[in-house]
Amino acid sequence: AHHIDEAVRLDARHAPTVVRSGEMRLAMGDVAAALTRADHAVAIDSPLGEAWALRAAARRQRGEFNAALSDLHQALRFQPHAAPMLMAEAELQFQLGRPQRCLTPLHHLLDFYPPGEEPQRALWLEGLAYEAVDCPHEAAESLCAAARRGPASAALLFQVGTARRAAGQEDA
C-alpha cells in the first residue's frame, strides 16, 4: 500500500492510479479512504468507469445500497460491457430484493461468454433470481449449469436439489 500511495502522491492527477490505491484501501478494510480516493478519481476523470465502480463498492460496504447502485449505473454508462460491474449490479439488485431487475445485468453478462464457459457465480445468482420470481424450470436449469462450472459447494448442490424438486424433477 505504501508504494501505491507514493505513486498517488507523485501524480495525484492520474485517475487510474488513484483508483488502484482506493481498491487496495478497500481490500484492507479502509472504506473511508477508498471512498475518498473514489471521489477524487471521479473529480479527475468523471468518465472513468472504474472510479465509479470503486465508489459503488465503498458505498456498498457502508450499507449505502441505493447510492452504490446509482454509482454502478454511472460506471456502466461509461463501460457497458464491464463484467465485474455487471455482476456487481446484479448482486446489488438481488441484495435489495429485486430479483427481476437482477436478471437484466446477469443476462448481459452471460451473453459475453460462449456456451459452457459462463461463470459459476453468475449462473448461481441467475438460478436464485429465477427461484425468487417463481420460474422453477429456469432456476433448475441455471443452478444445474452452475454446478457443472466448477467445484460445486454443498450449498449449491442443495439449491440444485431444491430447484429440481420445485420444477417437478424429483427423480433427477
Side-chain angles (χ1 to χ4, degrees), residues 55-78:
R55 194 158 110 171
R59 286 182 164 177
R60 186 175 179 187
Q61 286 286 325
R62 290 172 58 161
E64 300 170 6
F65 303 123
N66 288 318
L69 188 59
S70 178
D71 287 338
L72 274 172
H73 287 158
Q74 280 294 95
L76 286 163
R77 181 175 150 220
F78 299 114

Side-chain angles (χ1 to χ4, degrees), residues 14 18 44 56 62 68 101 104 124 138 153:
H14 188 252
V18 174
I44 296 169
R62 290 172 58 161
R101 289 185 182 181
T104 300
W124 192 346
E138 291 84 352
S153 67

Side-chain angles (χ1 to χ4, degrees), residues 22 25-26 29-39 58-59 61-62:
R25 290 289 175 200
L26 189 60
D30 190 351
V31 179
L35 189 54
T36 299
R37 296 285 164 95
D39 289 340
R59 286 182 164 177
Q61 286 286 325
R62 290 172 58 161

Side-chain angles (χ1 to χ4, degrees), residues 57-170:
R59 286 182 164 177
R60 186 175 179 187
Q61 286 286 325
R62 290 172 58 161
E64 300 170 6
F65 303 123
N66 288 318
L69 188 59
S70 178
D71 287 338
L72 274 172
H73 287 158
Q74 280 294 95
L76 286 163
R77 181 175 150 220
F78 299 114
Q79 291 181 264
H81 305 298
M85 294 176 203
L86 288 167
M87 189 66 197
E89 181 192 359
E91 290 172 341
L92 196 48
Q93 292 285 14
F94 192 81
Q95 185 177 8
L96 287 168
R98 302 173 186 158
Q100 188 68 41
R101 289 185 182 181
C102 162
L103 289 167
T104 300
L106 271 178
H107 290 160
H108 287 298
L109 172 66
L110 292 170
D111 284 345
F112 297 132
Y113 293 92
E117 294 184 24
E118 302 92 342
Q120 183 183 54
R121 187 169 141 209
L123 290 168
W124 192 346
L125 183 57
E126 181 186 47
L128 295 176
Y130 276 134
E131 277 183 341
V133 297
D134 199 29
C135 295
H137 294 286
E138 291 84 352
E141 183 179 318
S142 295
L143 291 167
C144 286
R148 290 189 300 269
R149 291 299 181 277
S153 67
L156 175 56
L157 293 175
F158 175 77
Q159 289 186 297
V160 168
T162 303
R164 283 186 152 179
R165 186 174 62 221
Q169 304 169 358
E170 285 91 5

